């Protein structure tokens, strides 16, 4: 979730906790104790992961942008077989392709929303907090829907740098306000999403596969292409291609290995 282009929702599906995560939020009052325990464990792990890996990921992307970006690209694409199993399809249909293309186009379109034209990091009064609530709902959509990068939505809203700074400087007030707004957004979104997944599982997961594959365009646009120097020589290309291919295969293998334990 800390890397632009990589979806936390996709990882949740591959790890086999996505349906449980959606259900525990949308049906929170039906088993308050059990749902609180499950969500606490997930949120604790997410908090530790973001708090510790933000520094490591930032350093890796600065030092080895190309192979690390290909590793994440492999991680995203390597999760497609696990997603396809969720469609419960016995054979491909024309409608499957239509929903897939729809999801693909939605995410690619989101990727072309201009970054920096919107800024909700400053302000005061009721209007500012209303904007934070709206921002929380937008972030919640990105959190809940696989393939839509939370980090990219933060970039579009002009909040990515502010959020990374708030995390690294432990700005509890800023993180807390946005966190509450996001939590409200999650509760508003999960109920209709769960209904859609239960009522139309094939169509929903075909569209989700489109979301996930569409998200790879952002990795290319934001991370891979800017990492290629204009004056790259043959030696650079040979070394970079070897490292990138190895990183891509490693990313696919890592996610493929994790998906085998999704039923545990």
């Amino acid at each position: 979730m800390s890397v632009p282009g990589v979806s936390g929702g996709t990882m949740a599906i591959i790890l086999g906790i996505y349906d449980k995560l959606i259900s525990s939020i949308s049906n929170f009052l039906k088993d308050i104790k059990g749902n609180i325990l499950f969500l606490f464990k997930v949120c604790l792990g997410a908090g530790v992961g973001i708090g510790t890996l933000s520094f490591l990921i930032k350093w890796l992307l600065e030092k080895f942008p190309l192979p690390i970006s290909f590793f994440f690209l492999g991680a995203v694409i390597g999760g497609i077989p696990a997603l396809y199993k969720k469609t419960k399809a016995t054979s491909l249909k024309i409608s499957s392709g239509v929903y897939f293309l729809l999801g693909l186009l939605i995410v690619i379109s989101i990727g072309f929303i201009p970054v920096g034209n919107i800024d909700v990091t400053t302000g005061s009064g009721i209007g500012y907090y209303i904007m934070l609530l709206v921002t929380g709902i937008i972030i919640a959509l990105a959190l809940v829907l696989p393939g839509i990068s939370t980090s990219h939505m933060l970039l579009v809203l002009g909040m990515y740098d502010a959020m990374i700074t708030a995390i690294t400087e432990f700005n509890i007030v800023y993180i807390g306000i946005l966190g509450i707004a996001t939590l409200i957004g999650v509760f508003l979104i999960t109920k209709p999403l769960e209904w859609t997944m239960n009522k139309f599982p094939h169509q929903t997961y075909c569209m989700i596969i489109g979301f996930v594959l569409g998200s790879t365009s952002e990795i290319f646009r934001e991370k891979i292409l800017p990492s290629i120097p204009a004056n790259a020589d043959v030696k650079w290309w040979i070394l970079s291609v070897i490292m990138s291919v190895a990183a891509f295969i490693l990313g696919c293998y890592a996610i493929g290995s994790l998906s085998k334990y999704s039923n545990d």
Side-chain angles (χ1 to χ4, degrees):
M1 195 170 68
S2 301
V3 181
V6 179
S7 164
T10 302
M11 297 299 106
I13 288 180
I14 293 168
L15 294 170
I17 67 167
Y18 188 76
D19 294 350
K20 171 66 175 173
L21 196 59
I22 296 298
S23 178
S24 64
I25 297 171
S26 63
N27 300 301
F28 183 76
L29 297 178
K30 292 183 179 180
D31 182 14
I32 295 177
K33 183 179 178 180
N35 289 331
I36 286 178
L37 180 61
F38 175 76
L39 292 172
F40 172 76
K41 289 187 287 186
V42 173
C43 290
L44 179 63
V48 171
I50 292 172
T52 55
L53 294 180
S54 292
F55 300 95
L56 177 61
I57 289 170
K58 183 179 179 182
W59 181 81
L60 286 172
L61 285 171
E62 288 174 354
K63 297 294 183 181
F64 312 101
L66 207 59
I68 295 302
S69 296
F70 269 97
F71 174 83
F72 288 123
L73 186 67
V76 172
I77 294 177
I80 297 298
L83 287 174
Y84 182 74
K85 291 179 182 178
K86 291 283 186 178
T87 65
K88 300 177 181 178
T90 54
S91 61
L92 290 175
K93 304 174 184 177
I94 295 177
S95 60
S96 305
V98 171
Y99 287 108
F100 164 75
L101 288 175
L102 181 60
L104 187 72
L105 290 173
I106 288 173
V107 173
I108 291 176
S109 299
I110 290 174
F112 282 99
I113 297 175
V115 172
N117 288 353
I118 307 170
D119 188 357
V120 295
T121 59
T122 59
S124 60
I126 295 176
Y128 174 65
Y129 292 107
I130 291 175
M131 281 304 300
L132 275 183
L133 177 60
V134 173
T135 302
I137 293 173
I138 293 172
I139 293 172
L141 271 170
L143 281 170
V144 171
L145 292 176
I148 300 179
S149 168
T150 308
S151 298
H152 178 73
M153 296 309 298
L154 288 171
L155 284 169
V156 169
L157 295 168
M159 296 186 67
Y160 184 78
D161 291 337
M163 178 58 72
I164 291 296
T165 301
I167 292 171
T168 55
E169 294 181 357
F170 301 102
N171 187 340
I172 304 299
V173 175
Y174 184 86
I175 296 172
I177 293 173
L178 192 60
I180 292 170
T182 303
L183 190 63
I184 293 171
V186 168
F187 276 99
L188 290 174
I189 293 164
T190 49
K191 197 67 177 179
L193 179 61
E194 184 187 32
W195 180 85
T196 304
M197 291 171 67
N198 291 332
K199 191 76 174 176
F200 309 103
H202 179 74
Q203 296 90 329
T204 302
Y205 278 102
C206 283
M207 189 175 291
I208 285 174
I209 291 174
F211 285 164
V212 172
L213 282 180
S215 70
T216 60
S217 66
E218 186 187 342
I219 300 178
F220 269 103
R221 192 171 57 252
E222 299 292 336
K223 295 297 176 186
I224 293 176
L225 294 180
S227 301
I228 302 174
N231 58 346
D233 56 17
V234 176
K235 182 180 178 181
W236 183 92
W237 276 106
I238 293 173
L239 185 62
S240 296
V241 167
I242 292 172
M243 291 177 63
S244 298
V245 170
F248 178 83
I249 294 172
L250 184 61
C252 288
Y253 178 77
I255 293 302
S257 298
L258 282 174
S259 65
K260 293 178 182 177
Y261 299 98
S262 62
N263 293 325
D264 294 340

